[in-house]
Amino acid sequence: MQVSKEWITLKSGYIVDNEITEAFKGNKLNLVSPVTLRENLAYIFTLIGLTKYPDKDEMIIIEDFIRTSYPLYTIEEFRIAFKMAVQGKLDCSTEHYEKFSPKFIGQVMAAYTKKANDVRKMIKPITQELEVPKLTDNEIVLFTQKEWLESPRTDFNRVFNADKVFGILLKQGKLKFQEHEMLEIIKIVREDNLQKMNKLYGIDAKNFRQSIKDNDFVDTQCKKLALVKYFEGLSS
């Protein structure tokens, strides 16, 4: 039987989607750089026919949702999930109503996950033989530090993988803040959120209001600002 290039035949005789199996080998969403994530989002926006792009504040929420909801998926998987949805290969709607919302992302990723899990079951004996290289704690910290210091440094919310990096530095005893410094960080985060709220309207304002009521969301924001202060201190 002749098999399309989009498919591969395993030793077991199973035929699986080659595009998905290749995507498994990519970079995880919880470690991919902000620039790479935004580049792939731009591709996806064009792919699904989105003409009204999310604004700066919306993008912060979208990027955080993607990283925290699908940390172990690769950026390649995230990309082809929307490609397959548009191609009609996934059991989901691609009607977005000009809104790239977490709900829309969740629908596509749920459909992709179902298909990807079927592929994983068939190639499990093969993938178990492949050891994925792991970054050391210092490499994770340096990667996040480098991304921030080489960025415009205009928005502390752009610091990614903050929970992981903050935990590493705290464990290493490198993060030391006085009580007045911690209170100042909380104050700055609250003021920044208030300024953003005043610029949003309708459903965007409602969604952001819900986000800043979430203690975990605000806690991560504070960690991001604390990391910025730490990184800036090292570079000065």
Side-chain angles (χ1 to χ4, degrees), residues 29 37-55 57-67 70 75 78-83 85-86 93-109 203-204 207:
L29 280 169
L37 179 56
R38 287 193 290 274
E39 287 175 347
N40 280 273
L41 284 173
Y43 166 84
I44 291 169
F45 294 160
T46 301
L47 194 68
I48 64 176
L50 191 72
T51 59
K52 181 186 176 185
Y53 283 21
D55 62 26
D57 295 325
E58 289 173 326
M59 282 296 288
I60 291 173
I61 295 173
I62 289 170
E63 290 180 21
D64 182 72
F65 174 79
I66 292 170
R67 290 186 187 282
Y70 311 102
I75 186 66
F78 190 73
R79 181 182 174 114
I80 70 164
F82 288 88
K83 179 181 177 181
V86 172
S93 170
T94 55
E95 182 56 69
H96 47 71
Y97 304 103
E98 287 297 334
K99 202 75 176 174
F100 196 71
S101 65
K103 182 178 180 181
F104 174 68
I105 296 170
Q107 290 173 345
V108 173
M109 291 304 292
I203 189 66
D204 295 332
N207 289 338

Side-chain angles (χ1 to χ4, degrees), residues 24 36 67 97 118 124 132 140 148 150 152 168 175 204 218 223:
F24 290 156
T36 299
R67 290 186 187 282
Y97 304 103
D118 290 337
K124 190 174 182 181
V132 179
I140 292 172
W148 170 256
E150 292 182 357
I168 291 172
L175 285 182
D204 295 332
V218 177
K223 289 177 181 177

